Amino acid sequence: MNFMRNLAFEPLLPIGLLAAIVVVALALCFYGAARRARGMIWRLCAVMVLLCWLTGPRLLHPVLRPVPQDALLIVDHSPSMQIRDRQSVADATAARLRDAASRIPGLTLHTIIAHGGSGHGTRLFDAIQQADLPQGRFAGAIMLTDGMDHDAPDAIPERFRASDGSPLPLHVLLTGKGEETDRRLRILQAPPFAIVGQKATLRVEADDLGMQDHARPATLTVTEGDAPARHIPIVTGQPQDIDIPVRRPGEVLVGLSVSPLDGEVSDLNNQDVVRINGVRDRLKVLLVSGTPNQGERVWRSLLKADPSVDLVHFTILRPPDKDDGTPLSDLALIPFPITDLFQRKINDFDLIILDGFRNSGILPMEYLGNIARYVRRGGGLLLTAGPEFTEDGTLQDTPLGSVLPAHVPSDGVVIGRFQPQLTPLGRRHPITASLPDAPGMDGRRGGWGPWYRALRPSDHKGEVVMSGPGDQPLLLLDRVEKGRVALMLSDQLWLWSRGEGGGGPQAELLRRLSHWLMKEPELEENRLNAALDDEKLTITRHTASADTPPPAEVLSPDGRRQVVPLMRVAGQEGVFAASVPAQGIYGIWTVKEEGLMAFAAPPVRNPLERRDLRATAEVLRPLTAASKGSIQWVGDISRTPELRQVEPGAANAGAGWVGFPRRMSQAVTEARPSDLLPAWAAMLLAMAFLFVGWRREGQR
């Protein structure tokens, strides 16, 4: 059937004339047969051969033309390609392949840049799947990569199957000279939080990748802030536990690094930084209130709302020298445990609050001396003082007075409406600097609601952050040896909670005061912070002084030192900042300034990329084999393989070349004719028939 479809005629004589010749030839043949003439059939055959040749029989051969094909060139630009000269080799090789493809008719090589990173690693097959190519024209793909792909499927994707089910090649060109080795440090376990004063346990492991022998001796170096580095002998392939003491609240940066492996591709993943947030155990606060007052509810609401606070609260309902006939059993459910609180367990508290408390013989002088010693040894004390502070039994006339920042005379009570104000220092101090609606901040007027009673001290020390009537101190802060004291010279803070005159930020103020007294780092008035992000180190200096602090000294992880001047931050009093470029350097940065120290480390944005930095064929070899493709090493541009098109069924790669199968299709309106009966064959055949007929005629 195919033969008949491909058969055509181009007669040399008109069809009618050829038909007439056929009729005459048949008539002569029948006449000769009737006359019993010999050889007539053979002569008829000779004539028929000549007539067949005169019809011009042709055999039409289909014309095959190349089908336009699209191939993909995926160039890996992930972070691991920045190692050594991988990226430059890949880009140069890609340029040469594109140039070679431009000289192959019908082949279009589409380039896709796979950037990778963003925490998802290298995803070369995602790039292939998202490529928009015409249906049925995909010829295969070439990957220029280091071989570390993180989305490699278990089986070759369906896109690499032709319509007849045959595989389409995936060629992988690796930017290296052969299999590489790499030593990496892995953090197997790291607690995000640890209690201050205890130890956090890290579990780490160093692995030698690409090596036959995985158990090798190595040295692990551990750095914690400004403490001397620790060098710990380890064996690769075996987990190692490390204890890290957490000495202060806030973020603790622990630098870990393992000694390099001879000949390894990079030491980038030989180091890591662990962040541990030091937190206090449940904070223990002792609140002792004097005569019941409106401020008690504010204190209880604030402290009870914090789940991290264990509150012990006692209210002195009646001093011992007052006798009104009320049975003691009706005044308190339990006896006031002064011995337990102020002698045996006083050092268990993180903060002691005395709210409107007048001693009047309630606490022995020895116990008040214990509170003073508690402060000097590092404790926090907060007092809110009202008229009781000037009466008999005032705390300022006891041993506790030695740690108080002010003394108020007996006539020091001031009655009258006033609005609490921030002092110049208060506008810079982190306790009060950013309190909502602070009067005088940013040119605002109005501010907080009024109070109606305050104390006027005769002398004071420490830092005044709020002022009252006549610009007299209202809130004082003081450091006493290792401890801290805050004194509020008014008992009317509770008015803000009632919304008097618009109210004020009483809860936020008390929260900040409490945390400053407990030495929370974020509320230190003189502190240094460092943060590293987007390859930039940002230094922030908070100071209670109005003067510009001296420059900061920056120590990079590679040991380079530089001095960086600090500039005032617009709109923020007491805040100075600077920034330093930090491209391409991983590790812990150290910043020093006026005895303060801060540490910063960049976040690990591409942990998958750092996990294995080798150039290797292990990951992609099964997929190239399934697709009838190849893996070749292109350690330099001179080893760029030649690009070819091959016949279907032939090998798709060889030494120094890679190829894609050529596909052809029949041109619908074109065919190549060939003579079915050439003239020479027709003449020979006709003469052969005539000769046989002549021989038959000559036989008697």
Side-chain angles (χ1 to χ4, degrees):
M1 295 297 291
N2 290 335
F3 174 79
M4 295 303 296
R5 283 198 299 266
N6 294 335
L7 185 63
F9 295 90
E10 294 184 6
L12 299 177
L13 296 176
I15 297 297
L17 180 57
L18 292 175
I21 294 173
V22 170
V23 172
V24 171
L26 289 174
L28 290 174
C29 182
F30 284 125
Y31 174 75
R35 296 289 302 271
R36 295 184 181 275
R38 295 189 176 197
M40 294 303 295
I41 296 298
W42 296 104
R43 291 186 177 91
L44 178 62
C45 289
V47 173
M48 290 302 174
V49 169
L50 293 175
L51 287 173
C52 181
W53 175 75
L54 289 172
T55 60
R58 299 285 189 270
L59 188 62
L60 300 178
H61 302 278
V63 175
L64 298 179
R65 298 194 179 279
V67 175
Q69 290 180 281
D70 294 274
L72 294 176
L73 176 62
I74 298 95
V75 185
D76 187 356
H77 275 207
S78 62
S80 64
M81 291 291 289
Q82 305 302 320
I83 296 174
R84 294 183 176 176
D85 58 350
R86 292 177 183 177
Q87 195 66 77
S88 60
V89 169
D91 292 340
T93 302
R96 297 187 69 171
L97 289 172
R98 285 193 294 267
D99 182 63
S102 67
R103 296 192 294 268
I104 299 178
L107 179 63
T108 303
L109 193 61
H110 301 271
T111 302
I112 298 176
I113 304 299
H115 292 283
S118 301
H120 302 292
T122 305
R123 307 189 69 82
L124 303 179
F125 285 90
D126 274 358
I128 292 176
Q129 294 296 80
Q130 294 172 11
D132 186 14
L133 298 178
Q135 186 69 25
R137 289 172 49 172
F138 181 62
I142 299 175
M143 288 183 177
L144 269 167
T145 177
D146 55 11
M148 279 301 166
D149 179 70
H150 301 103
D151 68 340
D154 296 330
I156 197 73
E158 283 301 315
R159 170 165 273 188
F160 286 86
R161 296 285 179 187
S163 57
D164 60 358
S166 60
L168 298 173
L170 169 64
H171 301 294
V172 176
L173 307 183
L174 297 172
T175 53
K177 298 180 180 179
E179 292 288 342
E180 297 174 337
T181 59
D182 184 36
R183 173 172 287 175
R184 69 178 178 189
L185 178 66
R186 289 192 297 153
I187 309 299
L188 303 180
Q189 178 181 321
F193 299 95
I195 296 176
V196 175
Q198 299 184 10
K199 293 182 178 181
T201 300
L202 307 180
R203 172 163 289 190
V204 303
E205 181 178 330
D207 299 316
D208 289 340
L209 306 173
M211 301 290 293
Q212 296 291 335
D213 182 13
H214 295 283
R216 294 168 175 265
T219 301
L220 180 68
T221 302
V222 183
T223 57
E224 312 156 39
D226 57 344
R230 289 188 284 162
H231 303 283
I232 304 172
I234 62 171
V235 177
T236 60
Q238 299 180 9
Q240 174 77 35
D241 289 340
I242 305 168
D243 289 333
I244 305 297
V246 180
R247 301 180 178 88
R248 60 178 180 80
E251 187 178 62
V252 178
L253 296 180
V254 181
L256 303 168
S257 63
V258 64
S259 55
L261 173 68
D262 291 340
E264 69 172 322
V265 61
S266 173
D267 62 357
L268 181 63
N269 56 356
N270 291 31
Q271 56 186 323
D272 210 336
V273 176
V274 176
R275 292 171 165 80
I276 302 174
N277 193 23
V279 296
R280 297 181 185 272
D281 199 359
R282 291 184 63 86
L283 302 174
K284 296 180 175 61
V285 178
L286 173 61
L287 171 60
V288 181
S289 301
T291 304
N293 59 79
Q294 297 284 355
E296 269 189 88
R297 185 180 299 275
V298 175
W299 278 115
R300 288 190 60 86
S301 299
L302 171 69
L303 298 172
K304 283 292 187 181
D306 191 340
S308 65
V309 171
D310 281 337
L311 175 64
V312 178
H313 182 200
F314 286 93
T315 300
I316 308 301
L317 297 179
R318 188 186 66 180
D321 59 348
K322 183 177 181 180
D323 186 8
D324 57 3
T326 304
L328 290 177
S329 60
D330 293 343
L331 291 178
L333 297 177
I334 58 174
F336 189 27
I338 56 175
T339 302
D340 274 347
L341 293 180
F342 296 106
Q343 185 166 351
R344 299 192 184 100
K345 298 181 179 180
I346 187 171
N347 293 320
D348 294 342
F349 292 103
D350 298 287
L351 175 64
I352 295 176
I353 303 173
L354 302 179
D355 177 35
F357 177 69
R358 180 166 64 98
N359 190 38
S360 299
I362 297 175
L363 296 180
M365 293 298 174
E366 178 186 357
Y367 292 169
L368 293 173
N370 289 344
I371 298 177
R373 279 191 295 273
Y374 157 82
V375 171
R376 292 189 178 95
R377 292 173 181 174
L381 175 64
L382 172 60
L383 288 88
T384 59
E388 79 287 341
F389 204 65
T390 63
E391 299 172 356
D392 292 339
T394 175
L395 293 175
Q396 59 186 345
D397 293 334
T398 69
L400 187 59
S402 62
V403 299
L404 298 182
H407 184 273
V408 181
S410 57
D411 60 349
V413 179
V414 179
I415 304 296
R417 176 189 173 99
F418 70 95
Q419 184 185 49
Q421 302 287 328
L422 294 181
T423 64
L425 174 61
R427 295 188 178 96
R428 298 188 298 270
H429 202 288
I431 291 179
T432 51
S434 58
L435 287 174
D437 301 320
M441 295 293 286
D442 300 328
R444 289 191 298 264
R445 296 186 177 181
W448 302 321
W451 295 356
Y452 299 93
R453 184 166 60 202
L455 302 182
R456 182 181 62 251
S458 57
D459 61 80
H460 65 275
K461 59 182 177 178
E463 300 173 333
V464 180
V465 295
M466 292 177 63
S467 61
D471 291 331
Q472 291 294 315
L474 182 64
L475 176 59
L476 295 103
L477 309 175
D478 194 20
R479 284 178 166 82
V480 181
E481 296 183 12
K482 296 181 180 180
R484 301 183 180 189
V485 179
L487 175 61
M488 177 71 76
L489 292 172
S490 176
D491 59 352
Q492 295 204 324
L493 181 65
W494 59 272
L495 288 173
W496 281 351
S497 64
R498 299 290 181 89
E500 175 72 18
Q506 84 290 339
E508 181 63 14
L509 175 60
L510 293 179
R511 185 192 69 80
R512 294 185 189 183
L513 270 174
S514 301
H515 285 273
W516 179 83
L517 289 166
M518 292 184 286
K519 303 176 184 178
E520 289 296 323
E522 292 304 313
L523 286 167
E524 294 292 338
E525 61 269 39
N526 289 295
R527 69 184 188 273
L528 183 67
N529 298 105
L532 209 160
D533 197 11
D534 292 331
E535 297 188 333
K536 182 175 69 173
L537 176 68
T538 302
I539 305 167
T540 306
R541 173 73 158 92
H542 295 259
T543 176
S545 172
D547 300 329
T548 300
E553 180 184 4
V554 178
L555 176 65
S556 64
D558 60 1
R560 290 186 294 111
R561 296 178 182 271
Q562 56 183 311
V563 176
V564 181
L566 302 176
M567 305 298 293
R568 189 182 303 273
V569 177
Q572 300 185 49
E573 293 195 41
V575 181
F576 299 81
S579 61
V580 177
Q583 295 96 338
I585 304 178
Y586 186 80
I588 298 179
W589 293 68
T590 304
V591 183
K592 299 179 180 180
E593 201 272 338
E594 276 197 325
L596 301 174
M597 188 174 297
F599 305 93
V604 180
R605 299 189 181 279
N606 302 299
L608 288 176
E609 292 288 329
R610 289 168 49 90
R611 189 168 61 185
D612 193 344
L613 299 176
R614 296 175 297 155
T616 179
E618 295 176 1
V619 177
L620 298 174
R621 190 186 303 279
L623 297 172
T624 57
S627 69
K628 305 298 183 185
S630 65
I631 291 182
Q632 300 190 29
W633 294 90
V634 287
D636 55 70
I637 190 173
S638 64
R639 301 178 64 179
T640 302
E642 180 187 354
L643 188 61
R644 302 179 183 175
Q645 280 190 313
V646 299
E647 297 300 324
N652 292 319
W657 66 274
V658 294
F660 297 110
R662 180 186 290 110
R663 272 187 283 175
M664 310 292 288
S665 66
Q666 180 177 348
V668 177
T669 60
E670 294 185 51
R672 179 171 53 82
S674 63
D675 291 335
L676 186 62
L677 183 62
W680 60 268
M683 290 298 295
L684 288 176
L685 191 58
M687 291 179 65
F689 282 133
L690 288 174
F691 177 77
V692 174
W694 175 71
R695 288 292 303 270
R696 289 288 296 166
E697 184 180 6
Q699 293 177 355
R700 297 295 180 182

